[in-house]
Amino acid sequence: MGKRRESLLFKFGIIFITFTIVMLILSGIATYYNQNKSYKLEREESIQYVASYLDNLLLTEGENFAYYQKYFLSHYRDILIPLNFGTTEIQLSKKNYEKLFSESYPGKVLGKDISFEELSDEVKLAFTIYHHEYFLDKFEKARKLFNLIYVEYIIPFESTETETLDVMYALDALRDERIVDGKKYIELGITVSHKLKNHKTEFEAWNTGKRPSGFDTFDNEYGKTYAFYSPVIINGEKLGVIGVEVEIAKVNKNILHNTLTQAAAIGSILIICVIIMLIIIYKKYISKLEHLKNNIGDYTVKKDVSITSEIERNATGNDEISILAKQFSSMVLEIENYMKTLLATTKELKDTKLHATVMSELATKDALTGIRNKTAYDKEFARLEWSIEEGTAEFGIAMVDLNFLKRINDTYGHEQGNIAIKKLCYIVCHVFEHSPVFRIGGDEFVIILENDDYKNIESLIKEFNDKLEAMSKEENLEQWEKVSAAIGYALYNASIDSSAANVFKRADKAMYNRKREMKAIREN
């Protein structure tokens, strides 16, 4: 192998292969950059288009939308919109409103024969429910059709504060849950404070009543996103702002697929060219040198000194012919050098192995919290599956989900959101100090329960909840430091769990049940 590495053919092969790899990398980067740039422009245009479409939708409704908003602002706590309503429910709400209106005001037309203020509370409520479902359905369909992160209609509140703006999410394409009498409805009227430094174009859209030329940029659990805002003005009155947010930093699978396909095509062509060039070089040059090397091999067997003298006289350069001549006259030195090379290679292999170990650890570590990440969890998950197949499984899985992360990010900033995540991670790791803890998502943690933690899970759950309860009462902590989280767990049961995935699902369900309990307690 050592001789082949020193041969001209091998060197040419290395040069051509290196050239091929560099060309593939450069062309791949150029392709990826250009397609990503096109994707970014397309996404910016799409959110502007969606904002225009929704703005036209509300403008078309005109006075009806103004009536809806006015009643919504003062009665949103009385409005019950089913959490999972669809087209059928919208039609039923429309029929209910039209029936009530025709029965109460036969032959009259709203806005022409009778004003909205003259309607009864029952008709106003039916009118608002139908229009809320209708508008929200349009917002949700726009979000799904254009693969957007958020589509919302917010109602800002005037204040003397210049650095913050209180806004109510009237139409939010991501539904929040509200439980009333055991039934699930949409949480309406959620109000948060937006800081000027994080929502500059939102402030501009509201304060000027005109569409801004730029975008607000966020870096959250969805990656890097752009948000575009458009004010809604009906009959000269500024009512609210439409917000559209789209993912920019991550490129979809089509871009990556196209880049890889092009790189593969270019690579195939270059490889064919390299093979052809190596064949030509071998036939014209390398084969002649191999004949000379065979003559030296004959000398090694026959020990004909006259051959070596002839070769030494012609060894005037550093090409392969001269190298072969020098190899014969310095065989002993070659052996010594070979041993040194062998030792150096051994050390290099050890260094490479150590580097690989360090890189493996980094690949399984979460950058924000320092604990193990989703990759490490997948490996641990495989071990649990194997233990189930072997019949030796005795474990549990606990799920922890941080509450209000989006609200913290929107209200206080993403740095405070990261502080909340690390604060929760610290508590989880100290309560379950004998168990491996993994961060598998922006605000989700998983604990693999075994041995003592498996046996004492009830007391550990209580300890965890007690710590959070005590922290919520500490007056010297900032709001984002008073972390709130829901925890749920499930223990492996051979009679009902065919895989570790079943245990995970039961733990996840228990966690979400706990989240709903916590929400119900807060609302009561």
Side-chain angles (χ1 to χ4, degrees):
M1 187 64 182
K3 293 181 179 179
R4 291 182 181 177
R5 287 182 177 178
E6 296 298 325
S7 69
L8 289 176
L9 185 62
F10 184 85
K11 289 179 179 179
F12 284 142
I14 291 297
I15 292 172
F16 293 145
I17 290 173
T18 302
F19 173 79
T20 300
I21 294 174
V22 171
M23 288 297 297
L24 287 175
I25 293 174
L26 292 178
S27 63
I29 292 174
T31 301
Y32 183 86
Y33 175 80
N34 289 332
Q35 292 197 22
N36 192 40
K37 183 178 180 181
S38 298
Y39 174 84
K40 178 181 176 182
L41 293 175
E42 183 270 332
R43 298 307 278 159
E44 290 178 355
E45 292 175 357
S46 70
I47 60 177
Q48 293 176 345
Y49 172 81
V50 171
S52 297
Y53 162 75
L54 295 175
D55 187 33
N56 289 332
L57 171 70
L58 301 185
L59 290 177
T60 301
E61 289 295 320
E63 290 292 338
N64 283 343
F65 183 77
Y67 297 153
Y68 152 80
Q69 178 168 319
K70 183 177 181 181
Y71 189 84
F72 177 88
L73 282 173
S74 58
H75 297 83
Y76 64 88
R77 295 304 296 176
D78 301 322
I79 301 172
L80 298 179
I81 307 295
L83 181 64
N84 298 312
F85 78 85
T87 303
T88 301
E89 287 75 9
I90 295 175
Q91 293 298 324
L92 291 175
S93 297
K94 180 180 181 181
K95 291 179 179 180
N96 181 54
Y97 158 66
E98 292 175 345
K99 179 182 178 182
L100 287 174
F101 183 89
S102 62
E103 291 176 351
S104 302
Y105 313 98
K108 294 186 177 181
V109 178
L110 179 61
K112 182 178 180 181
D113 304 315
I114 185 171
S115 67
F116 184 81
E117 288 74 14
E118 294 176 299
L119 300 180
S120 67
D121 287 340
E122 183 181 16
V123 176
K124 289 180 179 177
L125 180 60
F127 172 93
T128 304
I129 290 175
Y130 158 62
H131 281 84
H132 187 91
E133 291 178 349
Y134 171 78
F135 294 137
L136 183 56
D137 181 68
K138 295 294 184 181
F139 274 57
E140 291 177 336
K141 287 179 178 177
R143 184 186 74 83
K144 294 177 181 178
L145 179 62
F146 289 91
N147 192 25
L148 304 174
I149 299 299
Y150 286 117
V151 177
E152 68 230 351
Y153 172 73
I154 58 176
I155 304 173
F157 298 105
E158 299 290 349
S159 70
T160 58
E161 186 67 43
T162 59
E163 296 300 319
T164 61
L165 182 67
D166 290 338
V167 300
M168 175 185 289
Y169 286 79
L171 298 169
D172 189 344
L174 294 178
R175 305 177 185 180
D176 288 319
E177 182 179 304
R178 174 189 177 192
I179 304 297
V180 178
D181 296 331
K183 295 182 179 180
K184 296 179 180 180
Y185 298 94
I186 298 177
E187 180 72 26
L188 301 178
I190 297 177
T191 302
V192 298
S193 294
H194 286 176
K195 294 184 178 180
L196 172 60
K197 63 179 182 179
N198 298 328
H199 300 80
K200 292 181 179 180
T201 61
E202 178 184 315
F203 275 61
E204 181 182 347
W206 175 247
N207 291 331
T208 65
K210 299 179 180 179
R211 288 188 177 184
S213 59
F215 306 85
D216 283 337
T217 303
F218 303 102
D219 193 5
N220 50 35
E221 63 268 29
Y222 299 103
K224 187 176 181 180
T225 62
Y226 280 6
F228 180 76
Y229 298 95
S230 176
V232 176
I233 301 175
I234 296 177
N235 295 332
E237 182 180 3
K238 185 169 55 178
L239 299 181
V241 176
I242 294 172
V244 183
E245 188 171 351
V246 65
E247 182 182 31
I248 292 295
K250 295 181 180 178
V251 182
N252 61 28
K253 293 182 179 179
N254 290 333
I255 294 178
L256 181 59
H257 179 267
N258 292 338
T259 301
L260 294 177
T261 300
Q262 181 172 329
I266 295 175
S268 299
I269 295 173
L270 290 176
I271 289 173
I272 293 174
C273 292
V274 167
I275 293 174
I276 294 173
M277 292 177 68
L278 290 176
I279 291 174
I280 294 173
I281 291 172
Y282 177 79
K283 288 184 176 181
K284 285 193 173 184
Y285 305 105
I286 305 302
S287 61
K288 297 178 181 179
L289 295 176
E290 286 184 341
H291 287 306
L292 178 59
K293 188 164 59 175
N294 291 334
N295 290 333
I296 296 175
D298 291 341
Y299 167 76
T300 304
V301 175
K302 298 177 181 180
K303 301 296 186 292
D304 187 355
V305 179
S306 62
I307 296 177
T308 59
S309 299
E310 184 69 21
I311 294 174
E312 285 286 352
R313 283 194 298 269
N314 295 322
T316 58
N318 293 319
D319 56 18
E320 287 191 343
I321 299 174
S322 299
I323 292 174
L324 290 173
K326 294 174 183 177
Q327 284 177 344
F328 177 78
S329 62
S330 59
M331 185 179 298
V332 175
L333 184 60
E334 283 288 335
I335 295 175
E336 179 67 17
N337 291 335
Y338 176 78
M339 293 302 298
K340 292 180 180 179
T341 302
L342 182 62
L343 292 174
T345 302
T346 302
K347 183 179 182 301
E348 182 180 351
L349 289 174
K350 290 182 179 179
D351 293 341
T352 302
K353 184 177 180 180
L354 178 60
H355 178 71
T357 301
V358 173
M359 293 302 294
S360 178
E361 292 177 355
L362 291 176
T364 58
K365 181 179 291 186
D366 179 58
L368 177 63
T369 62
I371 65 173
R372 282 175 275 189
N373 61 12
K374 180 66 166 58
T375 301
Y377 172 71
D378 291 339
K379 293 180 180 179
E380 187 70 11
F381 197 84
R383 182 185 68 82
L384 297 177
E385 294 285 11
W386 179 83
S387 67
I388 291 176
E389 293 180 3
E390 291 294 315
T392 61
E394 187 179 58
F395 69 94
I397 295 178
M399 292 285 299
V400 179
D401 185 86
L402 176 64
N403 294 327
F404 313 122
L405 177 58
K406 182 180 184 303
R407 187 178 301 177
I408 293 173
N409 287 335
D410 290 346
T411 305
Y412 304 106
H414 293 281
E415 182 178 354
Q416 283 68 29
N418 289 340
I419 292 174
I421 291 173
K422 290 190 283 187
K423 188 87 171 181
L424 177 59
C425 178
Y426 176 84
I427 296 171
V428 173
C429 291
H430 278 73
V431 173
F432 300 92
E433 59 182 352
H434 301 298
S435 299
V437 179
F438 308 84
R439 184 185 179 208
I440 64 170
D443 53 4
E444 290 185 341
F445 296 85
V446 174
I447 307 133
I448 303 299
L449 304 168
E450 292 181 315
N451 302 322
D452 289 342
D453 285 359
Y454 171 86
K455 299 175 182 178
N456 301 317
I457 180 59
E458 292 292 340
S459 61
L460 292 175
I461 293 292
K462 184 178 184 303
E463 180 182 352
F464 175 84
N465 289 328
D466 289 344
K467 283 182 178 292
L468 295 186
E469 178 66 20
M471 185 181 299
S472 68
K473 299 177 180 178
E474 293 184 23
E475 297 181 356
N476 60 334
L477 294 179
E478 298 290 348
Q479 288 300 318
W480 58 84
E481 293 180 311
K482 299 178 180 181
V483 293
S484 172
I487 187 170
Y489 75 96
L491 303 180
Y492 170 71
N493 187 335
S495 63
I496 62 174
D497 296 319
S498 60
S499 66
N502 288 351
V503 184
F504 178 91
K505 290 179 181 178
R506 293 197 293 113
D508 189 63
K509 182 178 180 181
M511 181 273 290
Y512 276 103
N513 288 337
R514 172 60 179 164
K515 185 179 284 287
R516 285 192 290 269
E517 292 175 2
M518 297 173 71
K519 187 172 184 179
I521 292 173
R522 290 193 302 270
E523 294 176 348
N524 292 332

